[in-house]
Amino acid sequence: MFKMIYNIARTELQMLFYSPVAWLILVVFAVQAGMLFAGQLEGLVASQEMGYNISGSTITIFASRWGGVFTSMQNYLYFYIPLLTMSLVSKELSSGSIRLLYSSPITNFQIIVGKFFSMMIYGFFMIAILFLIVLCSWGVVKDFDLPMVLVGLLGLYLLICAYAAIGIFMSSLTSYQIVAAIGTFAVLMLLSMIGGWWQDYDFVRDVTYWLAMPGRSGKFIAGLICSEDVLYFVIVVCLFLALTIIRLNSVRQKIRFVITLGRNVGVIFLACFLGYVSALPTMKVYYDATETKLNTLTPNSQDIVAKLDGGMTITTYINALDPGSAWYAAPYFLKPDMERFEQYQRFKPDIKLKYVYYYDTTANPMLDRRFPNMTLRQKMVEVCKTYGLDSNKFIGPEEIRAMIDLSGENNTFVRQIVRENGEKAWLRIYNDMQKFPSEKEISAAFKRMVMELPVVGFVSGHGERSYAGGKDRDYSAFANNKSFRYSLENQGFDVANVTLDKQVPEKINIIVVSDLREWFTPEEEANLQQYIDRGGNLFILGEPRRRDVMNKLFAKFGYEMTTGVLVKRDTNLQADVILSYPTEEADTIAYDFNMMRRRNMVITTPTTAGLEQIEDKGYVVTNMFRTDTIGVWNELETTDFIDDTVRLNPSIGEVEKIYNTVVALSRKVGNKEQKIILTGDADCISNGEFGRRVPHARTNNFSLITGGFFWFSDNEVPIDVRRPALPDDKVYVSQPGTKMIKWSFMLLIPLILAGGGVFIWIRRKGR
């Protein structure tokens, strides 16, 4: 049997390569791949010569969404394969040679499998062209990620095989080759569209989404092998080859239509069932071939998930009346939304995802203007009509309130994570470009369930900044703004109000003292001192206008705020808006500050004072942020920085120098390390300051939160999801070299292929 399959495959390949179509497709394929490769390589070389960082060169060349060789070629394969397969069976039907095959001792299985093997071999030639590009990249890119690229080649080859099987089936349905090609395009289009069909029905949604072909090779191109995707291609190939064999058997043996239909339906249902089973989280197996495991949870996240014993359910609550965010998990977006948790289900397959659709009161002024006189239900029905949703799926306010109280989340789009043991946590979307939580936020929510995370106390009662207020000067964004990604609450901390009329509770190990307007009572000062003596961590934010009060507090740690307000003449900024730069010393506090230095980022510290050490209190000092090296002084005369012009006047004590604006202190207290951060400005992490845009500077004030509190929490939260730097950060070729590579792949290799085709054609004519 295998010998007969081999003979059929060899004969088919001979006929294929005797035709100009096969050679023309290889030539066009090579030119197209060469153009893509040359374009990406030229871009990398140009960036490198201009001094930009080009780490991740392998991904840029092959897997980039914007012109990556493999990413683009997977879209173009759609056009090549139908031109090859349109004649595989239809030519036998049109010429009548199928009768000779029927009269010979050859089974339909051997015929179809032999023809398919010929296409598999032809597919190797197409992959070989791409492999030449891989070999060239391997030679010119430093630390080239070869395993990742080989996995991408595997994905493209499986895609070619799937397209070939579909083409063979369509070729068996008609004796007209053009009709077979058009039919193949139609089936491929169907498989590209079916993923969005019937998404309102749970089981059907799973089946149709599994059947969808777009992006199936995308994970391979990204360097990830998933058993579901491998089995998908195997099942699709077997399905269409089986349908082809059933089709030929029905003609050859004159089987009744009902029996043939039953066999076709049975094969399709079997394929769908196997696909449904292979897509279950418990059935999936993964292999991440990338150098730095880009497609896998970081070790810290894996450790957190490993501690989550028992079942877990993530329930997403979607309010039809929620402005803007209500449709991120609508039925037709449900499967893509589920994929957001696929990496977690890889390590914890028993995570269940549940979706609840409801409607209830929420802040939506636009909806109120559109439907001013309607009830909540009437508004919901109108919204569902607009988006083509079934309004019967949305439960009413009474029912959702009986189920869960979402008023604390303002009835907006939110997820609740619930473990079997009853522990709960919230997972939200955020008011930024990314919207959805990243690995850092998801893992932080999970970590709440496996350990006791830090509680941050905000001292109040002396005019301090409010951690709940929404004014520009307040700290609600920094502390507990649910829609701000970098707020403490979204990064794994809890926040609480602290009054110093009694001792600070033991559960609070970080307190924030900001912009004091009046000094503490003796009892309050004693309680604060008791907290300091026990080794509690502090984040103290001063303000020049409160110098007299704040210096009493800074003195406890051997520091004071300088007189005046720091200013600098800057054509882009008001004189008292100072840019503070991270120091090399700050790298020892948290990796965020190292990242800021590498990316030339700053924080804005408006109306700030400098910090100077006046006494050694036994702390290890780390100067975290400081002003520019020139042009900054402590202004003592000017108070109107809008209309007046600042001038340096050394005679009255104004000193131009580098000032420290943020300082970190640490010392050993018992068996723990006490950590303190002092700032000369209380506005730098206020609500209003996060919205400031500075011309010609990259501001990153929220890193003072994430980095500082990462240090305070002994590196527990925010979750460290860093990966090793991508090592492929250099290309060993110059601009002239790229031109040689470009013409080699766009001209030389296609000419060799064309020459090979002409040589075989002439030789065949001679025979």
Side-chain angles (χ1 to χ4, degrees):
M1 180 179 73
F2 294 107
K3 184 177 180 181
M4 187 61 67
I5 292 173
Y6 167 76
N7 289 333
I8 293 173
R10 184 182 63 180
T11 302
E12 200 64 48
L13 274 175
Q14 288 176 343
M15 296 177 65
L16 192 61
F17 281 105
Y18 284 153
S19 72
V21 174
W23 291 100
L24 180 62
I25 287 176
L26 287 178
V27 169
V28 174
F29 184 83
V31 171
Q32 194 170 38
M35 288 176 60
L36 290 167
F37 174 53
Q40 294 299 92
L41 188 61
E42 285 175 339
L44 282 174
V45 172
S47 296
Q48 179 174 270
E49 292 183 352
M50 287 189 291
Y52 293 112
N53 180 18
I54 60 167
S55 63
S57 298
T58 308
I59 295 174
T60 301
I61 294 174
F62 292 98
S64 170
R65 294 181 180 179
W66 299 276
V69 177
F70 290 173
T71 308
S72 299
M73 292 310 294
Q74 73 169 335
N75 298 324
Y76 297 140
L77 287 174
Y78 185 97
F79 300 103
Y80 293 112
I81 305 304
L83 299 177
L84 292 166
T85 60
M86 65 183 183
S87 62
L88 285 179
V89 180
S90 59
K91 68 183 179 184
E92 312 283 2
L93 297 174
S94 61
S95 66
S97 59
I98 192 70
R99 295 190 183 92
L100 295 176
L101 291 174
Y102 285 168
S103 63
S104 64
I106 303 176
T107 65
N108 288 330
F109 176 83
Q110 293 169 333
I111 295 171
I112 298 306
V113 173
K115 290 179 179 290
F116 177 70
F117 277 175
S118 71
M119 288 304 302
M120 290 182 66
I121 296 171
Y122 185 89
F124 271 118
F125 283 95
M126 300 179 76
I127 295 299
I129 294 172
L130 296 177
F131 188 67
L132 292 176
I133 294 176
V134 172
L135 289 179
C136 179
S137 302
W138 193 11
V140 302
V141 175
K142 171 182 172 286
D143 293 323
F144 182 71
D145 197 349
L146 182 61
M148 169 194 164
V149 177
L150 293 179
V151 169
L153 283 176
L154 172 63
L156 292 178
Y157 182 68
L158 291 174
L159 187 62
I160 290 172
C161 292
Y163 284 172
I166 295 170
I168 290 173
F169 170 67
M170 297 309 299
S171 181
S172 71
L173 298 179
T174 177
S175 59
Y176 299 99
Q177 296 182 23
I178 297 299
V179 175
I182 294 174
T184 304
F185 281 120
V187 172
L188 295 180
M189 183 181 297
L190 174 69
L191 290 176
S192 70
M193 296 169 59
I194 196 172
W197 294 356
W198 304 304
Q199 295 297 289
D200 289 342
Y201 309 99
D202 293 341
F203 177 77
V204 179
R205 178 196 304 120
D206 293 335
V207 173
T208 56
Y209 195 77
W210 180 86
L211 282 172
M213 189 168 285
R216 278 293 174 177
S217 55
K219 288 180 183 176
F220 288 93
I221 292 172
L224 180 67
I225 299 178
C226 176
S227 60
E228 178 193 4
D229 297 315
V230 174
L231 290 173
Y232 171 83
F233 287 115
V234 172
I235 292 170
V236 166
V237 167
C238 293
L239 168 64
F240 282 96
L241 293 183
L243 292 175
T244 308
I245 294 169
I246 293 171
R247 158 68 180 164
L248 294 184
N249 282 340
S250 67
V251 176
R252 186 174 190 175
Q253 302 172 11
K254 306 221 181 289
I255 300 173
R256 290 167 54 194
F257 173 76
V258 175
I259 297 176
T260 302
L261 178 62
R263 290 176 178 175
N264 286 328
V265 172
V267 169
I268 293 172
F269 269 98
L270 177 61
C272 292
F273 173 75
L274 293 175
Y276 176 78
V277 172
S278 69
L280 295 174
T282 54
M283 302 297 292
K284 293 182 183 180
V285 179
Y286 298 84
Y287 172 69
D288 189 349
T290 58
E291 177 71 22
T292 57
K293 304 303 177 187
L294 291 172
N295 304 297
T296 307
L297 290 177
T298 56
N300 282 341
S301 293
Q302 291 182 41
D303 291 342
I304 294 169
V305 174
K307 297 174 183 176
L308 291 168
D309 55 336
M312 175 187 292
T313 301
I314 302 176
T315 305
T316 303
Y317 295 94
I318 304 124
N319 186 353
L321 306 181
D322 183 18
S325 60
W327 311 110
Y328 291 126
Y332 36 77
F333 293 141
L334 210 58
K335 295 301 290 186
D337 187 74
M338 291 178 174
E339 290 179 353
R340 304 183 201 282
F341 300 95
E342 186 173 4
Q343 287 195 10
Y344 289 89
Q345 288 180 313
R346 173 177 170 183
F347 294 96
K348 187 173 176 57
D350 58 349
I351 292 179
K352 297 178 182 178
L353 303 177
K354 182 181 176 183
Y355 293 82
V356 176
Y357 298 92
Y358 75 101
Y359 64 96
D360 202 350
T361 305
T362 189
N364 192 345
M366 184 179 67
L367 203 61
D368 295 335
R369 288 194 298 268
R370 285 181 60 196
F371 311 112
N373 300 316
M374 290 188 178
T375 63
L376 283 179
R377 176 165 180 78
Q378 289 172 333
K379 291 179 182 178
M380 179 272 294
V381 171
E382 291 298 323
V383 169
C384 288
K385 287 179 182 178
T386 302
Y387 289 97
L389 299 173
D390 183 1
S391 60
N392 294 319
K393 285 184 174 292
F394 290 81
I395 61 177
E398 297 79 11
E399 192 172 350
I400 188 66
R401 292 170 190 173
M403 184 185 304
I404 186 173
D405 182 10
L406 296 174
S407 60
E409 299 295 322
N410 299 316
N411 292 329
T412 57
F413 182 102
V414 70
R415 308 183 202 267
Q416 188 180 51
I417 309 169
V418 182
R419 293 180 66 187
E420 273 186 356
N421 61 9
E423 291 179 337
K424 299 176 182 178
W426 295 105
L427 195 58
R428 308 173 178 95
I429 61 172
Y430 310 109
N431 188 23
D432 55 27
M433 293 292 290
Q434 187 178 339
K435 287 294 182 185
F436 287 95
S438 64
E439 179 184 338
K440 179 178 286 191
E441 288 78 47
I442 296 174
S443 295
F446 285 162
K447 194 164 188 175
R448 287 179 176 275
M449 301 179 167
V450 296
M451 69 173 293
E452 188 174 340
L453 293 179
V455 180
V456 180
F458 286 78
V459 175
S460 64
H462 316 88
E464 297 91 342
R465 305 289 177 97
S466 169
Y467 76 96
K471 297 178 181 178
D472 280 357
R473 71 184 302 274
D474 291 334
Y475 287 166
S476 58
F478 150 47
N480 57 9
N481 187 330
K482 294 178 172 59
S483 63
F484 183 51
R485 181 181 303 275
Y486 302 103
S487 70
L488 294 177
E489 189 168 319
N490 287 326
Q491 293 298 323
F493 296 88
D494 285 322
V495 297
N497 182 57
V498 170
T499 56
L500 293 176
D501 54 353
K502 53 189 175 183
Q503 290 188 355
V504 179
E506 287 293 331
K507 69 175 183 178
I508 293 178
N509 50 11
I510 306 168
I511 65 171
V512 177
V513 184
S514 61
D515 194 9
L516 291 174
R517 292 169 180 258
E518 57 186 49
W519 187 242
F520 307 110
T521 65
E523 181 185 8
E524 290 174 333
E525 185 175 4
N527 288 329
L528 176 62
Q529 191 62 51
Q530 187 271 339
Y531 174 81
I532 295 172
D533 293 341
R534 85 183 193 202
N537 300 327
L538 296 100
F539 191 14
I540 303 175
L541 298 107
E543 187 69 20
R545 292 170 297 178
R546 323 288 183 214
R547 181 180 294 102
D548 293 341
V549 179
M550 292 301 303
N551 273 347
K552 292 181 181 179
L553 182 56
F554 283 137
K556 292 180 179 290
F557 311 103
Y559 269 81
E560 72 173 9
M561 300 170 65
T562 58
T563 56
V565 176
L566 298 187
V567 296
K568 180 181 181 180
R569 293 194 189 96
D570 192 317
T571 57
N572 297 310
L573 291 172
Q574 191 171 294
D576 63 337
V577 178
I578 298 298
L579 302 183
S580 292
Y581 300 81
T583 65
E584 289 189 23
E585 297 175 72
D587 294 357
T588 62
I589 300 296
Y591 63 88
D592 291 68
F593 306 127
N594 176 265
M595 177 272 295
M596 287 185 67
R597 281 198 314 107
R598 287 188 289 106
R599 298 182 182 179
N600 297 317
M601 291 179 169
V602 298
I603 65 172
T604 53
T605 48
T607 60
T608 185
L611 297 176
E612 293 185 345
Q613 189 172 19
I614 56 174
E615 184 181 355
D616 185 353
K617 294 283 188 174
Y619 291 96
V620 176
V621 177
T622 304
N623 297 314
M624 292 173 58
F625 286 84
R626 57 176 49 138
T627 61
D628 204 350
T629 53
I630 57 173
V632 178
W633 70 87
N634 59 319
E635 178 63 37
L636 299 175
E637 292 180 310
T638 304
T639 58
D640 184 353
F641 298 105
I642 298 176
D643 298 320
D644 287 355
T645 301
V646 294
R647 295 177 180 84
L648 177 63
N649 186 358
S651 64
I652 62 172
E654 294 179 353
V655 181
E656 180 181 356
K657 65 176 183 178
I658 300 172
Y659 289 88
N660 293 313
T661 54
V662 182
V663 174
L665 310 174
S666 62
R667 68 175 180 178
K668 278 286 186 181
V669 178
N671 60 355
K672 67 171 291 186
E673 183 181 13
Q674 183 179 41
K675 300 172 181 179
I676 300 165
I677 292 179
L678 310 176
T679 76
D681 170 45
D683 293 317
C684 58
I685 55 172
S686 64
N687 297 343
E689 202 59 27
F690 287 129
R692 185 190 292 272
R693 295 292 178 266
V694 177
H696 313 299
R698 302 179 65 187
T699 59
N700 197 31
N701 285 40
F702 65 78
S703 285
L704 184 56
I705 302 172
T706 56
F709 282 84
F710 181 74
W711 183 56
F712 282 141
S713 67
D714 299 326
N715 303 350
E716 290 291 346
V717 280
I719 307 298
D720 183 0
V721 295
R722 286 177 297 167
R723 302 176 188 276
L726 294 172
D728 48 347
D729 56 359
K730 188 176 182 180
V731 179
Y732 300 119
V733 66
S734 61
Q735 289 285 3
T738 60
K739 294 187 183 300
M740 290 183 58
I741 293 172
K742 176 180 179 179
W743 293 115
S744 295
F745 281 98
M746 290 182 58
L747 186 61
L748 181 60
I749 292 176
L751 284 177
I752 292 173
L753 291 172
V758 171
F759 173 77
I760 291 176
W761 179 76
I762 294 174
R763 187 178 179 188
R764 186 185 180 212
K765 284 290 185 182
R767 288 182 176 179

